[in-house]
Amino acid sequence: MQIGPISHLPQSLKMQSFRSLLHLKNNILLLSKPFEKSLLSIRRSSDSTNQAWKEEARVLSSDPDRVLSSWDAFEPSAEPAKEPEENSRDEDEKPRIGEKLVANNPRKVRVSSLFTAGTRRRKAGKERVSWVCGQCGATSGQWWGTCPACQKVGTVKRFAEAAEVGGSRGAEVSEEKVRLWLPQRAGGAVPQSLEEVNKGRNQTEWRIQLSGLFGMEVARVLGGGVVPGSLVLVGGDPGVGKSTLLLQLAAIISQGNNFSAPAPVIYVSGEESIEQIGNRADRMRIASADLFLYSSTDIEDILDKIQAFSPQALIVDSIQTVYLKGITGSAGNIMQVKECTSALLRFAKQTNIPVFLIGHVTKSGDIAGPRMLEHIVDAVLYLEGERYSSYRLLRSVKNRFGSTDELGVFEMSESGLEAVANPSEIFLTEQYSDSEILAGLAVAVIVDGSRTFVIEIQALCASGSSPIRHVEGVRDGRANMIIAVLMKQAGLKLQDSAIFLNVVSGFKITETAGDLAIAAAICSSFLELAIPHDVAFIGEIGLGGELRAVSRMDKRVIAVAKLGYKKCVIPKTAEKSIAGLNLDMTILGCRTVKEVINIIFH
């Protein structure tokens, strides 16, 4: 504030005004300590400004008649704060919000604004908090009652990650452990042309071949064999046989084949002791001298111990049980799973040793851990099977070195998994001569990947009971649509009937090629007329009751003919695609569902 000349006032009044201003200023400073500190810091921010204020205060003390430019020139009654030390903060540290560096201060003392005087400095290494869904692994910056990705309620959990983590990361650990394995190249790695990379390489001998029926089924799913330096993740429900599958695979690789000699394979388990693994191997009649067992959960220890063996392949059971010492959190959390997978990936790429990982799954069937886990690995395999069925299906949902359409079929026995030579046999029941038993049975031809399956569909229509629907192995919406078409377009009175549908051996039909067989099975049970056991059905049903062609019709018809079927009902529009095939079978082309009923049941 500005005060005009007071020379015209009496001396006593001058001194009284001077004391009043000083008293007012001291009271204000005592009421607001942060305000006082800010003013003091601002006053000391520049040596030149500070010297001018002191000179003005000295003149005012001796001459009250001087124009008062600012009442802040007076020294406070409290003891002034100490000068900040030069090394109190790092000079290259970025200022906080609301702070700035004084340009003309050689010591770069910070000047805090009045509004940020009470701001607390964020401590180094403070944890970063994120919210992760336990079902799908989606990450968000705040808590949600319902996961935005999978819409599950109550699955979002708090996850704290240290901002500055001591120790080595996954890539650094694998780099350090593998450095002594490989010969050092002068100048490091350089880009190479495609011709140089493939020069002298035989693609048929490049992959690790798997012998036997079991090995052929696994090699089919992998795209022709095990690729050196690949990282493969195998998931599945608890008890489905993941450990059994990889233990048998380890035994096949260690025994060698016509293309390669026997080589060491190391099976590392973080869930079982080596005695327990040995007991299972003895039960499965596995006795390979080059199969080595190890029980550990420390990635650094695993990579260090296997160095002396130079293995042909490494198997880790499971990725949720191993950990890295330099990563915060226990084994199985998001950071541990991510960093351990990254370490094993770099190990596989640098040493050209294939690594197989077993992954646990959540209730929804997805592999536990971050979603990026499936993006890091080269291939993701799922081992599926019904709880009360001995058959197992090995599918590929991701494969960088082959097709994802392949499917392996196995049967669980006392000696482990055995390959099924003819998968269609597991989906067909014994053919009885009694026509009453055959009522409600129809055969469909399904293609899963590159495999063709002939499966049996069962239907039961109970008239006079409550009109309920119970479906197993067929999508509910698809089954209800077929039933509605039969009532509307074929004239069947199914309104007051209880209808039950079932697919033999727990197989799930996901394509539309089984629509015609489902309709035929329902009609057979409702009309109480058996379908001849040598008839198969292929086709999709539209809402108007018309039959539509499906993909790979020639492959389906050939598979039916090889199994000895004499007749096959297909859509009329698909007859041209199989006209050139030399088949010992009668092809019945139909346009509508009603036409199929007239041909089969009259």
Side-chain angles (χ1 to χ4, degrees):
M1 63 181 176
Q2 297 293 333
I3 302 177
I6 56 175
S7 58
H8 61 281
L9 298 177
Q11 184 67 23
S12 60
L13 187 57
K14 292 180 183 179
M15 296 304 298
Q16 183 178 0
S17 301
F18 180 85
R19 294 190 185 96
S20 299
L21 288 173
L22 180 61
H23 181 69
L24 176 62
K25 178 246 185 184
N26 289 336
N27 288 340
I28 293 176
L29 291 177
L30 289 175
L31 291 175
S32 178
K33 289 296 182 180
F35 184 70
E36 175 188 352
K37 294 179 180 179
S38 299
L39 292 176
L40 289 175
S41 62
I42 294 174
R43 188 196 60 185
R44 288 192 294 268
S45 62
S46 174
D47 294 338
S48 60
T49 306
N50 188 24
Q51 184 66 26
W53 281 341
K54 290 183 178 180
E55 182 65 20
E56 185 178 0
R58 186 182 61 80
V59 174
L60 286 174
S61 301
S62 60
D63 187 9
D65 293 335
R66 181 179 174 85
V67 177
L68 300 179
S69 60
S70 174
W71 57 270
D72 187 36
F74 298 99
E75 291 287 341
S77 57
E79 182 180 357
K82 296 181 180 180
E83 290 287 338
E85 298 180 1
E86 295 186 14
N87 299 327
S88 60
R89 290 187 182 179
D90 297 334
E91 293 187 359
D92 58 347
E93 183 182 357
K94 295 182 179 179
R96 302 193 305 266
I97 298 176
E99 291 186 343
K100 63 180 180 179
L101 294 176
V102 179
N104 58 354
N105 187 355
R107 293 182 296 175
K108 297 184 180 180
V109 180
R110 298 184 186 275
V111 179
S112 302
S113 66
L114 300 179
F115 303 101
T116 59
T119 305
R120 299 179 62 183
R121 181 185 178 187
R122 184 180 184 270
K123 296 181 179 180
K126 185 178 180 181
E127 64 179 10
R128 293 177 291 180
V129 178
S130 59
W131 299 89
V132 183
C133 177
Q135 293 291 332
C136 65
T139 305
S140 59
Q142 59 181 342
W143 179 86
W144 298 93
T146 302
C147 176
C150 64
Q151 303 301 321
K152 297 293 183 180
V153 180
T155 60
V156 180
K157 305 296 182 182
R158 183 179 183 272
F159 173 72
E161 174 188 353
E164 297 180 2
V165 182
S168 301
R169 312 291 288 185
E172 298 174 0
V173 169
S174 57
E175 179 77 21
E176 179 182 356
K177 295 300 179 182
V178 187
R179 187 177 294 114
L180 299 178
W181 290 38
L182 304 176
Q184 300 297 324
R185 297 180 181 178
V190 295
Q192 298 181 5
S193 66
L194 180 61
E195 183 180 359
E196 294 176 353
V197 174
N198 293 331
K199 184 177 180 180
R201 173 180 295 175
N202 189 349
Q203 296 295 335
T204 59
E205 300 179 1
W206 178 53
R207 293 175 182 257
I208 301 176
Q209 302 297 324
L210 304 176
S211 59
L213 293 177
F214 175 85
M216 292 174 60
E217 285 293 306
V218 178
R220 178 200 301 270
V221 181
L222 291 175
V226 181
V227 176
S230 61
L231 183 63
V232 181
L233 178 63
V234 180
D237 295 331
V240 74
K242 301 184 296 296
S243 301
T244 301
L245 174 70
L246 290 187
L247 187 59
Q248 290 182 246
L249 182 63
I252 293 177
I253 297 177
S254 64
Q255 293 172 359
N257 47 49
N258 298 331
F259 298 97
S260 61
V265 176
I266 299 181
Y267 185 98
V268 180
S269 177
E271 302 175 348
E272 301 175 285
S273 63
I274 57 175
E275 290 78 14
Q276 294 172 329
I277 305 173
N279 183 29
R280 189 190 322 131
D282 182 67
R283 187 175 68 251
M284 297 166 56
R285 298 181 179 88
I286 295 178
S288 176
D290 292 309
L291 177 58
F292 295 89
L293 309 178
Y294 187 53
S295 179
S296 177
T297 56
D298 187 354
I299 288 293
E300 299 182 46
D301 175 64
I302 294 172
L303 298 181
D304 184 61
K305 293 295 177 59
I306 68 176
Q307 178 179 351
F309 296 89
S310 296
Q312 181 83 355
L314 171 64
I315 297 175
V316 179
D317 182 9
S318 63
I319 189 59
Q320 281 82 13
T321 61
V322 294
Y323 68 93
L324 279 171
K325 295 180 180 178
I327 307 301
T328 182
S330 58
N333 69 13
I334 293 178
M335 284 302 299
Q336 286 286 0
V337 171
K338 174 186 173 183
E339 294 297 335
C340 290
T341 306
S342 299
L344 293 173
L345 175 66
R346 192 171 181 86
F347 166 79
K349 300 306 178 185
Q350 290 189 351
T351 60
N352 217 27
I353 297 175
V355 178
F356 292 85
L357 307 177
I358 291 181
H360 297 163
V361 297
T362 60
K363 294 181 179 179
S364 61
D366 298 325
I367 295 180
R371 193 65 179 179
M372 68 181 67
L373 179 62
E374 300 184 23
H375 297 282
I376 294 176
V377 300
D378 296 317
V380 181
L381 309 181
Y382 274 89
L383 188 62
E384 305 173 356
E386 295 295 329
R387 183 176 181 182
Y388 300 105
S389 176
S390 60
Y391 295 102
R392 303 289 186 267
L393 303 178
L394 183 64
R395 300 179 183 272
S396 173
V397 297
K398 176 190 176 181
N399 191 357
R400 291 175 178 166
F401 313 110
S403 174
T404 57
D405 294 334
E406 300 297 340
L407 179 69
V409 184
F410 305 91
E411 183 178 6
M412 181 66 74
S413 63
E414 294 182 357
S415 58
L417 292 172
E418 297 181 357
V420 178
N422 186 11
S424 296
E425 295 179 354
I426 67 178
F427 303 115
L428 297 176
T429 59
E430 182 180 356
Q431 300 295 331
Y432 297 94
S433 59
D434 193 348
S435 60
E436 294 181 358
I437 298 178
L438 291 177
L441 302 181
V443 174
V445 184
I446 304 299
V447 174
D448 196 326
S450 62
R451 308 289 290 270
T452 304
F453 301 97
V454 178
I455 62 176
E456 191 173 81
I457 298 176
Q458 301 173 331
L460 175 62
C461 296
S463 302
S465 60
S466 57
I468 60 176
R469 306 283 189 269
H470 187 76
V471 180
E472 291 289 343
V474 183
R475 290 177 295 180
D476 293 341
R478 200 70 189 175
N480 292 332
M481 186 272 290
I482 296 174
I483 294 172
V485 170
L486 291 176
M487 290 189 295
K488 179 68 176 180
Q489 307 297 339
L492 298 182
K493 306 297 182 181
L494 301 174
Q495 294 86 347
D496 299 329
S497 300
I499 301 177
F500 299 87
L501 284 175
N502 178 50
V503 180
V504 175
S505 299
F507 193 88
K508 293 180 174 57
I509 299 178
T510 57
E511 62 172 348
T512 59
D515 291 355
L516 188 54
I518 296 174
I522 295 175
C523 293
S524 175
S525 179
F526 180 76
L527 300 175
E528 296 183 355
L529 296 174
I531 298 175
H533 65 276
D534 58 351
V535 178
F537 299 87
I538 306 172
E540 177 185 350
I541 297 178
L543 292 179
E546 75 279 7
L547 300 186
R548 299 177 179 271
V550 295
S551 62
R552 304 180 184 180
M553 183 63 72
D554 54 344
K555 188 174 183 178
R556 300 174 194 264
V557 174
I558 292 174
V560 171
K562 288 182 178 180
L563 292 177
Y565 285 84
K566 300 301 181 182
K567 297 179 182 179
C568 184
V569 181
I570 65 173
K572 191 70 175 180
T573 57
E575 288 183 335
K576 296 181 180 180
S577 62
I578 61 173
L581 300 178
N582 187 12
L583 302 174
D584 186 16
M585 182 176 58
T586 302
I587 301 298
L588 302 176
C590 301
R591 291 183 174 86
T592 62
V593 177
K594 194 171 184 179
E595 187 177 349
V596 174
I597 296 175
N598 294 331
I599 292 177
I600 299 298
F601 301 104
H602 290 84

